[in-house]
Amino acid sequence: MSTEATPDPYADPLCFGQRMQILRERRGMSRTVLSGLLGMSPSWVKRIENGQLQPPGIDMVLRIAEALRVGNLADLTGRPDMRVDLFVGPGHPRLGAVRAAVDALPLGADREAPSIAHLRARLAKAWKARHEAPNHRDVVGGLLPDLIRDATLAVQQAQDPVAWREAQAVTSEVYSLAQFFIAYQPDASLLWRVAERGMLTAQQSGDPHTIGVSAWLLAQAHRDTGPAHFDAADAVTMDALRYLAPLLPDASHEVLAVAGALTFEAGYTAARRGEHGTAWRHWDAARAMAERLPADYYHPVSSFSRAVMGAHAVTIAVELHAGPESVRQATRADATAIPSRPRRARHHVEEARGYRLDGQRDAALATLERAYAVAPETIKYNGYARSIVLEGTESKSAPRRRRATELAGRIGLLAA
């Protein structure tokens, strides 16, 4: 093994600081960047890593895990009794069936593919279930396998170029739906296969809206992989926006909405980098696009709309680690205006992150309880929610500890 290679944190027993340094360097993150995300000084990070300071408490450990996107606390602490997955949720019971449909090679099918109209109707039903069902993953996971197989079959049996492109567009949207289902589950390679197939079929369809949606999801896949992939996320986002730009003066609501969603994604990534001005500039541009949409319009994939811009403002403030600003934006945002259950629950998770940043831990737990009431599966698979709940189970406040432990039990965080 090269002496310049990054050490394996499991090769020998390592102290907390050494593990923290190894995981930080694997992310390609400097001490300055990490310290900014933690609200501490670079010298504090250096002293922790060098063992000059004692390991921090559970609150800071969770903040470090969040900043480094550590999937499991044991990777950071070295303690096998803390093997708690944070950013990867439990595998859904329907994950295996969805994986099998994605991995299948349907050659020589002995049946006729459904019509494009029939596939679109089923897809619309699936999107409706995703937005309205509290157990949206369960419902969507049950519909996806047949949708994937039938859309693939429609592409194979297309009789002319127009029908082939239409089938590719439907297939791309099926993969977009599948990416929502697979996200935050323990199969990163499956997520990437789905994201890349969604982009490929979108390009083959030649449909601007379909291409925009697939680019939006592919950019998220890059960004959520970690700081080393932020440039790739930006490249996808900006390429898609340049492609859509000539269409925007006379764009349909769908195309304008997906351009708005991509513009916000550029701000989201900038906020992850800590770039305050750039993040809010993109948010302002996205808000201007939202104002061009009808007041009651709601994009069925990205949720982009006037209603969601308040929630997006909370996300920007939270990603910039601005606690008071996060709370201020949370008080301004109207969660009831968001019709999608999982998107509304996700907004509550972002609110909870803001309250946590502001030191309002009881408010954070109360907000997560609202998220659970709206869409239990959203909070169950959200790493930020899981870390806040886990932190609460270690609280010195007995009422807060009881409240967090009860919620942890409901989302399966403390299951054996």
Side-chain angles (χ1 to χ4, degrees):
M1 181 177 184
S2 169
T3 57
E4 296 181 358
T6 303
D8 182 348
Y10 295 104
D12 296 295
L14 298 175
C15 69
F16 176 88
Q18 290 172 306
R19 287 177 176 274
M20 176 173 152
Q21 180 176 356
I22 290 169
L23 293 167
R24 173 180 62 77
E25 291 175 349
R26 283 185 173 179
R27 282 291 183 195
M29 186 183 293
S30 69
R31 284 176 177 149
T32 300
V33 170
L34 178 58
S35 66
L37 294 174
L38 299 175
M40 305 298 286
S41 67
S43 63
W44 181 87
V45 173
K46 182 177 181 179
R47 289 159 67 198
I48 287 288
E49 290 182 346
N50 291 344
Q52 295 173 307
L53 292 177
Q54 291 295 315
I58 185 65
D59 182 15
M60 182 56 74
V61 168
L62 287 165
R63 288 172 64 184
I64 294 169
E66 177 180 317
L68 295 177
R69 298 291 292 177
V70 174
N72 196 303
L73 279 184
D75 295 344
L76 180 61
T77 65
R79 289 175 49 184
D81 60 322
M82 294 186 74
R83 291 206 66 83
V84 179
D85 287 318
L86 294 177
F87 292 94
V88 178
H92 194 280
R94 296 191 186 276
L95 180 61
V98 173
R99 183 192 298 113
V102 172
D103 291 343
L105 189 63
L107 299 177
D110 57 357
R111 61 187 178 88
E112 184 178 351
S115 68
I116 297 298
H118 181 71
L119 284 170
R120 287 197 180 281
R122 287 164 57 190
L123 194 50
K125 177 182 177 182
W127 280 116
K128 188 173 187 293
R130 197 226 164 226
H131 289 302
E132 296 181 0
N135 59 332
H136 53 93
R137 282 184 186 268
D138 191 56
V139 177
V140 170
L143 297 172
L144 272 171
D146 285 342
L147 271 171
I148 292 168
R149 285 188 285 265
D150 287 348
T152 303
L153 196 60
V155 171
Q156 292 179 340
Q157 296 182 6
Q159 298 297 309
D160 57 72
V162 173
W164 183 79
R165 286 193 294 272
E166 288 179 347
Q168 294 283 16
V170 171
T171 302
S172 180
E173 191 170 337
V174 170
Y175 281 129
S176 294
L177 181 63
Q179 190 169 335
F180 277 99
F181 173 81
I182 297 165
Y184 306 115
Q185 296 198 54
D187 197 333
S189 64
L190 179 63
L191 178 69
W192 277 106
R193 289 201 299 282
V194 165
E196 290 170 351
R197 287 188 194 179
M199 190 72 251
L200 176 62
T201 50
Q203 290 173 315
Q204 290 172 332
S205 78
D207 178 65
H209 173 256
T210 305
I211 291 170
V213 167
S214 296
W216 177 73
L217 284 164
L218 183 59
Q220 289 186 35
H222 279 295
R223 188 191 63 234
D224 289 345
T225 302
H229 297 261
F230 286 175
D231 287 347
D234 277 338
V236 171
T237 300
M238 295 308 173
D239 283 348
L241 284 171
R242 280 190 290 270
Y243 167 75
L244 294 173
L247 307 175
L248 296 185
D250 301 308
S252 66
H253 293 157
E254 281 190 330
V255 170
L256 180 59
V258 78
L262 283 160
T263 302
F264 169 71
E265 285 303 313
Y268 195 155
T269 305
R272 282 274 182 94
R273 284 195 174 100
E275 298 171 351
H276 292 244
T278 303
W280 285 115
R281 177 170 57 82
H282 285 303
W283 181 86
D284 283 333
R287 180 179 59 178
M289 292 182 181
E291 291 299 319
R292 290 175 54 188
L293 295 168
D296 60 348
Y297 178 83
Y298 199 81
H299 190 256
V301 180
S302 69
S303 294
F304 190 79
S305 58
R306 293 190 193 184
V308 87
M309 290 311 301
H312 282 338
V314 175
T315 296
I316 292 291
V318 167
E319 292 295 345
L320 290 170
H321 294 262
E325 179 64 14
S326 301
V327 172
R328 188 176 77 86
Q329 293 293 347
T331 59
R332 296 176 60 184
D334 181 10
T336 63
I338 302 173
S340 169
R341 277 181 175 267
R343 187 60 187 85
R344 191 159 70 248
R346 163 72 187 281
H347 170 55
H348 287 317
V349 171
E350 297 295 278
E351 287 182 309
R353 293 177 67 196
Y355 285 125
R356 177 193 185 192
L357 283 170
D358 200 44
Q360 300 184 44
R361 289 172 173 77
D362 289 324
L365 281 174
T367 307
L368 289 181
E369 288 170 341
R370 288 199 293 275
Y372 183 85
V374 171
E377 290 187 333
T378 294
I379 180 174
K380 182 176 182 179
Y381 289 87
N382 186 284
Y384 296 115
R386 292 160 67 86
S387 67
I388 293 171
V389 173
L390 180 65
E391 175 188 304
T393 64
E394 299 284 337
S395 174
K396 294 180 180 179
S397 165
R400 185 185 307 151
R401 190 167 61 249
R402 284 194 296 270
R403 190 175 196 173
T405 300
E406 180 183 347
L407 184 55
R410 280 188 277 168
I411 66 176
L413 189 56
L414 300 183

